[in-house]
Amino acid sequence: MNKLAKSNLDLDMSRVIKAPRVVVWDAWRDPAKLAQWWIPAPLTCRIITLDLRPGGGFVTEMSEDGSTFTPHMNACFLSIEDGTKIVFTNALMGGWRPAAGYYPCALTAIITLRDHPQGTEYVAHVMHKNAADRDQHAEMGFLDGWGTVVAQLAKLVE
């Protein structure tokens, strides 16, 4: 299900992944697995930092040719509920340090994993500071991009 969220500043997407929640969680916490699905193919992802704890850093890079990498995300985990929830923001870097810039806009993402009769319900709720940022993120292809990476996650774990 892809839709605008309850707040007019947020974007949501969800999908049922036909794999146990523990397997989906492992694909989030293992850098080698995360690199396989976090950025839409054919781009290549490199995980620089994945410190899955409040205040921990989340730094990724991307490449079109597999050899030249550019920054993708420099974020900070705000909250981790083992096996069920990840909250991060790109408005902060690891160690709670304010970020100088963010791509495509400042956001806070809440990823929730819930048991589902067919496996795991994966929900991404992405909050923005204003409608302009939300619109920019939507126009850049939020639903396609985040939907693609979750489809790649499903392919990896199913």
Side-chain angles (χ1 to χ4, degrees), residues 13-32:
M13 62 83 46
S14 67
R15 177 187 174 129
V16 173
I17 297 173
K18 295 177 182 171
R21 187 168 40 89
V22 67
V23 175
V24 177
W25 180 259
D26 186 57
W28 248 107
R29 66 167 200 79
D30 180 335

Side-chain angles (χ1 to χ4, degrees), residues 11-85:
L11 297 169
D12 279 344
M13 62 83 46
S14 67
R15 177 187 174 129
V16 173
I17 297 173
K18 295 177 182 171
R21 187 168 40 89
V22 67
V23 175
V24 177
W25 180 259
D26 186 57
W28 248 107
R29 66 167 200 79
D30 180 335
K33 291 178 182 170
L34 182 64
Q36 294 178 54
W37 66 269
W38 181 241
I39 295 176
L43 295 173
T44 302
C45 178
R46 181 163 59 188
I47 308 298
I48 304 301
T49 305
L50 181 64
D51 187 3
L52 211 57
R53 63 177 177 83
F58 181 27
V59 181
T60 61
E61 295 179 338
M62 62 185 175
S63 173
E64 290 186 29
D65 63 9
S67 63
T68 304
F69 284 83
T70 59
H72 171 253
M73 176 171 287
N74 190 346
C76 179
F77 291 108
L78 302 175
S79 177
I80 303 295
E81 294 177 23
D82 194 38
T84 62
K85 186 183 271 186

Side-chain angles (χ1 to χ4, degrees), residues 100-115:
Y102 12 81
Y103 172 84
C105 53
L107 60 83
T108 298
I110 302 171
I111 308 299
T112 307
L113 307 178
R114 297 183 186 107
D115 290 330

